[in-house]
């Protein structure tokens, strides 16, 4: 079942209590694509970068099984740049810089060889671009999952509401769920958000795991307590990539299978945070993943 992902492909500069990076490869689209490529190849990515984006980074994606036919390289423009700084507890971070650059006027093109997309992951990007991608698909995919963030709630509320109404699954963190619903209780928040359109809602709680909501059902996935947490950047996107990748691979969108997809997403995210940027994702193996999924199982079985 073919998989299409959209999202920022970026330069990130990250500061955590353990160190600092210069501009490294980042972006929601990057993390999602690398993560989902563990489950499903090719991953057909739709994104845009400037001509300052190194060829070597594009090769990194291709080596993972990411098809970059839908990655536009804009001459004379600069790649999206984001800088963030984590506090001591690593659960909260400040965004220091968001330079949209080439994302400001991004007109997503869906290549003809992506038109059979059955599983679509709309990663963090302007909601207007996210909905354009859905509109440019000739057929309605089997499952559309969307991720977003507070940035878009602050500046593009109406576009966001429109896009949310078009998707099957929405994935946000707890703080964003509260902002979106204006409810503190995550249970109430989930009800309100599902009334906006999505039949399923995932609420990510950082190092405390994730919740999956559907109708009156709730599934709670743990997060594995890790010895090493170096950099949480991209964990949410890596989770989303694992979630959709697992569903695309198994081609089963039942609630029970979505629970498994949440565990696989959580396992992928647990690798992401162990090193800076995409480093750990690029070196891990499928055997590492299976071993970690077992650890998740052992963590909660009683
Ligand atoms: P996460 O840690 O999962 O929330 O995602 C971090 C990634 O999101 C970084 O790699 C950033 O490049 C990307 N990002 C941050 N802000 C935005 C934004 N406004 N639009 C698109 N991508 C963003």
């Amino acid at each position: 079942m073919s998989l299409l992902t959209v999202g920022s492909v970026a330069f990130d500069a990250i500061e955590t209590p353990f160190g600092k990076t210069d501009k490294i490869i980042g972006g929601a689209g990057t993390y999602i694509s690398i993560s989902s490529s563990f489950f499903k190849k090719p991953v057909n990515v739709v994104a845009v970068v400037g001509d300052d984006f190194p060829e070597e980074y594009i090769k990194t994606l291709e080596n993972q099984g990411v098809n970059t036919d839908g990655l536009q390289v804009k001459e004379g423009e600069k790649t999206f740049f984001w800088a963030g700084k984590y506090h001591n507890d690593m659960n909260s971070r400040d965004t220091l810089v968001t330079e949209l650059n080439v994302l400001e006027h991004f007109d997503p093109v869906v290549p003809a060889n992506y038109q059979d997309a059955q599983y679509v992951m709309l990663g963090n990007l302007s909601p207007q671009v996210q909905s354009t991608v859905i509109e440019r698909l000739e057929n309605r995919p089997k499952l559309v999952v969307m991720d977003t963030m507070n940035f878009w709630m602050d500046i593009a509320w109406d576009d966001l509401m429109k896009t949310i109404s078009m998707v099957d699954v929405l994935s946000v963190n707890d703080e964003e769920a509260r902002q979106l619903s204006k409810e503190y209780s995550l249970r109430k928040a989930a009800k309100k958000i599902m009334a906006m359109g999505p039949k399923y809602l995932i609420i990510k709680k950082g190092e405390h795991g994730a919740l999956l909501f559907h109708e009156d059902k709730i599934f709670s996935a743990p997060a594995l307590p890790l010895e090493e947490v170096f950099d949480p950047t991209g964990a949410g996107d890596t989770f989303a990539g694992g979630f959709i990748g697992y569903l695309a691979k198994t081609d089963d969108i039942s609630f029970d299978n979505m629970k498994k997809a949440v565990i696989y997403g959580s396992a992928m995210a647990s690798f992401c945070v162990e090193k800076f940027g995409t480093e750990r994702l690029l070196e891990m193996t499928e055997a590492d993943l299976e071993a970690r999924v077992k650890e998740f199982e052992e963590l909660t079985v009683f």
Side-chain angles (χ1 to χ4, degrees):
M1 287 292 140
S2 66
L3 172 61
L4 188 156
T5 67
V6 194
S8 51
V9 172
F11 286 129
D12 284 351
I14 304 158
E15 199 178 328
T16 82
F18 303 103
K20 217 174 150 168
T21 67
D22 285 331
K23 287 186 172 180
I24 57 171
I25 183 173
T30 301
Y31 285 102
I32 290 169
S33 300
I34 294 175
S35 178
S36 54
S37 72
F38 273 80
F39 303 88
K40 184 80 203 151
K41 289 182 182 39
V43 175
N44 292 329
V45 68
V46 171
V48 66
V49 292
D51 62 6
D52 55 350
F53 198 71
E55 187 60 37
E56 164 207 338
Y57 284 175
I58 298 178
K59 284 267 164 331
T60 301
L61 292 174
E62 285 170 351
N63 290 341
Q64 292 295 119
V66 179
N67 178 355
T68 57
D69 290 351
L71 176 70
Q72 302 174 39
V73 181
K74 289 278 177 206
E75 290 300 318
E77 292 195 49
K78 283 167 72 180
T79 300
F80 172 71
F81 173 59
W82 176 81
K85 181 178 171 169
Y86 290 85
H87 303 288
N88 279 338
D89 68 357
M90 301 269 256
N91 270 329
S92 58
R93 74 176 175 210
D94 290 330
T95 289
L96 304 178
V97 184
T98 300
E99 283 175 14
L100 289 176
N101 297 331
V102 73
L103 278 189
E104 199 152 352
H105 305 290
F106 178 31
D107 186 21
V109 174
V110 179
N113 56 338
Y114 287 17
Q115 280 295 341
D116 61 346
Q118 289 290 305
Y119 288 83
V120 174
M121 178 68 230
L122 303 173
N124 191 11
L125 260 189
S126 102
Q128 185 264 326
V129 170
Q130 291 175 317
S131 61
T132 302
V133 171
I134 306 179
E135 283 158 3
R136 290 187 177 165
L137 287 170
E138 283 155 18
N139 300 305
R140 175 69 166 80
K142 191 163 174 181
L143 192 79
V144 180
V145 183
M146 170 187 181
D147 190 73
T148 189
M149 73 185 294
N150 50 358
F151 181 83
W152 305 110
M153 295 175 201
D154 295 337
I155 69 164
W157 182 265
D158 292 346
D159 286 343
L160 187 64
M161 285 301 121
K162 174 186 159 190
T163 311
I164 285 179
S165 75
M166 297 165 78
V167 307
D168 303 299
V169 185
L170 179 71
S171 148
V172 285
N173 68 29
D174 41 5
E175 204 184 309
E176 290 156 354
R178 290 183 171 124
Q179 184 173 347
L180 196 56
S181 63
K182 303 181 181 70
E183 289 286 354
Y184 182 79
S185 151
L186 293 181
R187 214 173 168 138
K188 280 190 184 166
K191 262 197 194 141
K192 273 202 179 171
I193 295 170
M194 287 191 287
M196 296 171 187
K199 291 185 286 298
Y200 301 84
L201 173 71
I202 294 168
I203 300 183
K204 299 167 285 183
K205 299 188 296 165
E207 65 168 338
H208 305 296
L211 297 169
L212 169 69
F213 293 87
H214 174 55
E215 294 169 349
D216 289 329
K217 298 194 268 277
I218 310 179
F219 172 64
S220 171
L224 194 67
L226 296 169
E227 292 200 9
E228 311 279 13
V229 177
F230 272 100
D231 171 20
T233 308
D237 309 313
T238 302
F239 170 92
F243 177 78
I244 192 114
Y246 183 81
L247 292 176
K249 177 181 166 182
T250 53
D251 192 24
D252 171 358
I253 56 171
S254 65
F255 186 69
D256 275 348
N257 202 49
M258 278 199 196
K259 292 181 188 176
K260 290 187 188 146
V262 168
I263 297 292
Y264 273 87
S266 304
M268 288 303 299
S270 75
F271 285 103
C272 176
V273 304
E274 286 180 334
K275 289 194 177 172
F276 271 102
T278 54
E279 199 181 334
R280 186 75 179 99
L281 294 178
L282 294 174
E283 66 184 24
M284 65 176 277
T285 64
E286 282 175 30
D288 292 335
L289 173 62
E290 288 308 326
R292 190 145 295 178
V293 167
K294 276 227 152 50
E295 284 189 65
F296 269 83
E297 233 176 278
E298 283 160 14
L299 190 65
T300 47
V301 87
F302 63 90

